[in-house]
Amino acid sequence: MGVHGRIAEKGGAGRRLELLDTTLRDGAQARGISFSVEDKLKIVKCLDDFGIAYIEAGNPASNVKDAELFRRLAGVRLNSAKLVAFGSTRRAGAASPGGDAGLAALAGACAPYASIFGKCWDYHVREILKTSNAENLSMISESVAYLIASGKRVIFDAEHFFDGYAANPEYAMACLDAAYGAGAETLCLCDTNGGAFPLAVRGAARAAVRRFGAARIGIHCHNDGGMAVANTMVAIQAGAAHAQGTVNGYGERCGNADLCAIIANAQLKLGRRCVEDGKLQELTLLSRTVSEICNIPHDEKAPYVGANAFAHKGGMHIDAVEKSPPSFEHVDPEQVGNSRSLLMSEVSGRSNVARRVRKIAPEVTKAARIAADVAARLKQLEADGYQFEGAEASFELEIKKMLGTYRQFFELVSFKVFVGEPAVDGAGTAAWIKIRVGGQEYITAGEGEGPVHALDSAIRKSVTHFYPQIAGMKLTDYKVRVIDSDAATAAKVRVLIESTDGRDSWATVGVSSDIILASWKALVDSIEYMLMRAGAPWPGGAGEAAGSAEVGAPGPN
Ligand SMILES: [Zn+2]
C-alpha cells in the first residue's frame, strides 16, 4: 500500500457509515437554488446511481411541489437508495398526533422512512414553542410512536442538540430518550445553528454513543463556523454510524456539511465504508453534475472534487509531484474521479479522460495517443467555457468528433432571427432557417415566444422534414449561465438544454458570447444525438445514396 493509501486516523475502520443526503430538503434552502420537480427527480437518480443509502426528498406537507415530487417518486424504481420524507413533531398542545396534518402527510408519503425534527434545547422549548419541557418530550415520543404505528421507520433529528447539551445536558439526553423509547431507529444529533466546535461535538457525541450505542447515532452539521465537515468527522470518530449532508455543502446561510468531503474523508481516511469502491471514483462527477442541475458554478477549490483540488502551480511542487505524487497530495486524485493538473503539462487528466472516453469508445486505452489528444482538446473546450458534466450527450458527440466517428446528419446553411413586438404584429419573434441534407437545401421558418423558442421551432420543423423520427422530441429544460463574469463586455454564456423523446432524456451544451448561437449549438447537439441514437440513415454514408427515400423527396410540411 502506498503512502496515499494509508488510513491516517482512528475511527472505526471497516465499519459501515450510513449516508443520508438532504440536498433536496436542506440544500434547497440555499439562496440561489430553486429546484423544479424535474431537477429533483434528476438528483434523486444521480444519488441513487452513486449509492447514497438514504435520500431525504422533502417535506410532503410543506408545499405542493414536494407533495408532487413524492407522488412522482412513487412510480420511480430506485437501485438501492431509500426515500425519506421530512417533517416535525406534532404541534404543542394538540390532543393527539393523528390530527396533525404534517404527521399525516408523512404517514401517507411513499417514503418508507420518516425523518422528524424535535427540540432538544430547553431554551427553544421555553422561548419558541412556549411550552413545558414535559410537553416537548410528549410531542417527541407521541410523534415517533404515531409514525411507527403507521408503518414508517423513523430517524429523529435532534434539533439544536449540541447547544442544548451545552446548556442542559440532562434535558437534551431526555429528548433522545423520548425518541429512542418510542422506537426511533436513528438519533441524529444536529448542530442546527452551525456554531459548535469540534471538541464540544466530540464530547456530546461520545455521551450519546455511550448511552444508545454507536449504531443508533447520526450527525447533521451546518457550516456557520466553517467547521461543518470537521464536526461531522469528529462525531464519526466518536462512533456515529450515520452522517447527513448535502452535495457540495449547499444549504441555508453558510451551508450544510459537504457530503462529498464527508464521503471521501470517511472512506479514504477513516476506512469507513460509505459507497462501493468503484463508486468513489464518480464522486467528482456527482458533485459537478449536481452543481449543473442547481445552475451554480462549481466551486474550484472544493476539497477532493474542485477543479483546483489537485492543481499544482509552483515549479518545485510540480517537480516533486512528478517524482512522487504523495509529496504534495493528500490522496490520489483518481480515487475520487478528479485529476491532477500541472501547469505546462499536456498530459494532465489523461487517465481520467480516458476513463470517460472508454465508456463511449471502449477501444481507447489510457496509453493510446488519442487519449492525450482528447484530453488536450477537452482542456481547450473547458477553457472556452464548456462544461460537460451534466451534458453527457454533447460529450459523447464531441468524443465521436475527435475520434473521427461522428456523422453529420444536417448542415446549417444560414439562419436569421427576427425580433418583433407582439403588440404590433401579434406574432412575437420568428426565425428563418436554411439547412442542407445530402446536397438538398430546405428553407423554413418558425415562430416563438422569444428568439430561442422561434429558432427551436424552425430547426425542428426543417429537420423533421428530412427525419420524421424527431417529431416526438421535446425540449424539457433550458438553462443559461453567464461565464467570464469579470469581463462583462466579452461575457460568454453557457446554455444547457435537456430534451426527451418521451422515454429517455439527454442534456446538451453550447457556449458562445451570443446567447442565440450558444442555444443553437445546444439545440443542434440535442437533435443530432437523438438521430444518432435512433440510428437514422446518414446522408453521406457509404452505400447510401444522398437522395435516398428518407432524405430525398420533400413532402408537405
Ligand atoms: Zn439542517
Side-chain angles (χ1 to χ4, degrees):
M1 183 182 284
V3 185
H4 267 151
R6 79 180 166 206
I7 288 166
E9 299 285 345
K10 284 197 294 184
R15 279 176 52 213
R16 203 155 177 95
L17 177 69
E18 194 176 85
L19 300 169
L20 181 145
D21 176 277
T22 181
T23 306
L24 299 179
R25 201 270 304 169
D26 237 1
Q29 304 300 319
R31 214 170 158 178
I33 289 187
S34 169
F35 290 127
S36 64
V37 172
E38 296 298 331
D39 290 336
K40 289 191 175 188
L41 289 167
K42 271 184 255 169
I43 290 176
V44 166
K45 197 174 171 319
C46 289
L47 295 169
D48 181 45
D49 286 347
F50 184 72
I52 298 289
Y54 297 90
I55 301 172
E56 196 169 75
N59 183 337
S62 77
N63 62 61
V64 287
K65 255 195 199 172
D66 278 7
E68 190 199 334
L69 174 67
F70 278 100
R71 273 196 300 279
R72 299 269 302 272
L73 283 170
V76 173
R77 273 260 305 271
L78 298 175
N79 296 324
S80 62
K82 298 168 205 74
L83 289 177
V84 181
F86 179 83
S88 76
T89 54
R90 72 159 169 82
R91 275 187 302 278
S96 76
D100 188 286
L103 285 172
L106 291 182
C110 69
Y113 279 77
S115 165
I116 54 166
F117 73 90
K119 303 272 184 210
C120 298
W121 188 1
D122 56 359
Y123 151 77
H124 254 263
V125 174
R126 195 170 61 242
E127 300 296 331
I128 308 299
L129 289 182
K130 298 202 181 294
T131 190
S132 68
N133 282 356
E135 165 67 355
N136 181 54
L137 295 178
S138 305
M139 288 160 62
I140 294 171
S141 58
E142 286 175 19
S143 304
V144 171
Y146 166 80
L147 289 168
I148 286 172
S150 314
K152 300 297 172 184
R153 302 174 74 168
V154 177
I155 297 165
F156 177 67
D157 274 2
E159 194 190 43
H160 293 115
F161 178 77
F162 296 101
D163 291 316
Y165 188 82
N168 183 345
E170 293 76 25
Y171 187 68
M173 282 296 181
C175 294
L176 297 185
D177 279 336
Y180 178 79
E185 275 180 34
T186 300
L187 308 171
C188 187
L189 315 180
C190 302
D191 182 23
T192 310
N193 288 1
F197 268 51
L199 292 185
V201 169
R202 184 171 70 178
R206 277 181 177 168
V209 165
R210 271 198 302 275
R211 193 174 180 94
F212 302 100
R216 294 271 175 183
I217 299 303
I219 181 75
H220 174 115
C221 293
H222 282 258
N223 200 36
D224 301 73
M227 289 183 276
V229 171
N231 286 338
T232 303
M233 299 323 296
V234 292
I236 292 167
Q237 288 183 293
H242 169 111
Q244 303 192 351
T246 61
V247 176
N248 301 330
Y250 297 141
E252 204 168 2
R253 306 187 308 274
C254 312
N256 282 58
D258 175 4
L259 206 55
C260 298
I262 293 171
I263 291 168
N265 280 330
Q267 195 140 333
L268 297 175
K269 303 289 180 72
L270 300 183
R272 296 287 295 268
R273 294 193 63 77
C274 307
V275 292
E276 300 308 313
D277 286 334
K279 285 293 172 184
L280 193 59
Q281 290 191 339
E282 292 174 19
L283 187 68
T284 299
L285 181 65
L286 172 77
S287 165
R288 295 183 189 177
T289 304
V290 171
S291 90
E292 281 298 302
I293 296 171
C294 293
N295 206 16
I296 288 181
H298 193 254
D299 181 4
E300 293 180 333
K301 52 187 181 55
Y304 295 99
V305 297
N308 294 345
F310 302 94
H312 303 279
K313 194 169 176 187
M316 281 192 299
H317 287 193
I318 290 177
D319 185 52
V321 161
E322 283 189 315
K323 283 183 185 137
S324 176
S327 61
F328 285 95
E329 283 175 355
H330 70 131
V331 298
D332 179 348
E334 294 203 8
Q335 289 179 296
V336 291
N338 204 343
S339 52
R340 178 176 305 130
S341 74
L342 308 175
L343 284 178
M344 320 288 288
S345 164
E346 284 182 347
V347 294
S348 84
R350 192 197 293 187
S351 56
N352 189 38
V353 166
R355 191 166 50 243
R356 291 183 68 192
V357 170
R358 264 198 307 276
K359 283 188 179 171
I360 295 162
E363 68 280 6
V364 176
T365 65
K366 178 176 169 180
R369 173 75 202 147
I370 191 80
D373 294 345
V374 169
R377 170 78 181 136
L378 285 178
K379 212 169 163 186
Q380 182 57 48
L381 284 166
E382 283 179 11
D384 290 345
Y386 277 86
Q387 175 79 58
F388 291 105
E389 285 89 1
E392 297 296 324
S394 283
F395 183 75
E396 188 168 335
L397 289 170
E398 200 56 52
I399 295 298
K400 287 189 164 13
K401 282 178 197 169
M402 294 177 211
L403 299 177
T405 55
Y406 164 76
R407 295 170 151 206
Q408 191 179 29
F409 289 97
F410 60 94
E411 231 181 295
L412 172 72
V413 180
S414 58
F415 76 77
K416 282 193 173 66
V417 174
F418 308 90
V419 181
E421 270 295 323
V424 177
D425 62 9
T429 304
W432 174 96
I433 191 169
K434 188 198 276 190
I435 65 169
R436 187 184 296 128
V437 175
Q440 190 189 350
E441 289 186 351
Y442 185 71
I443 299 172
T444 189
E447 286 181 330
E449 295 163 16
V452 174
H453 187 206
L455 188 61
D456 176 45
S457 111
I459 180 180
R460 255 166 235 280
K461 244 162 110 177
S462 60
V463 177
T464 308
H465 176 79
F466 296 99
Y467 302 101
Q469 297 94 317
I470 73 154
M473 178 181 157
K474 261 195 346 212
L475 204 113
T476 52
D477 199 11
Y478 177 86
K479 285 191 175 100
V480 182
R481 164 105 42 89
V482 177
I483 41 187
D484 294 347
S485 50
D486 50 332
T489 49
K492 283 184 179 173
V493 292
R494 179 160 71 236
V495 166
L496 190 72
I497 70 174
E498 177 138 339
S499 309
T500 182
D501 57 7
R503 208 184 43 190
D504 296 315
S505 59
W506 58 94
T508 52
V509 63
V511 172
S512 170
S513 53
D514 180 329
I515 187 169
I516 310 257
L517 288 176
S519 305
W520 163 264
K521 288 178 186 171
L523 286 170
V524 167
D525 272 9
S526 80
I527 292 172
E528 296 231 294
Y529 185 77
M530 163 126 190
L531 290 171
M532 184 180 82
R533 278 185 354 144
W538 179 48
E544 245 171 11
S548 71
E550 259 82 7
V551 295
N557 193 14

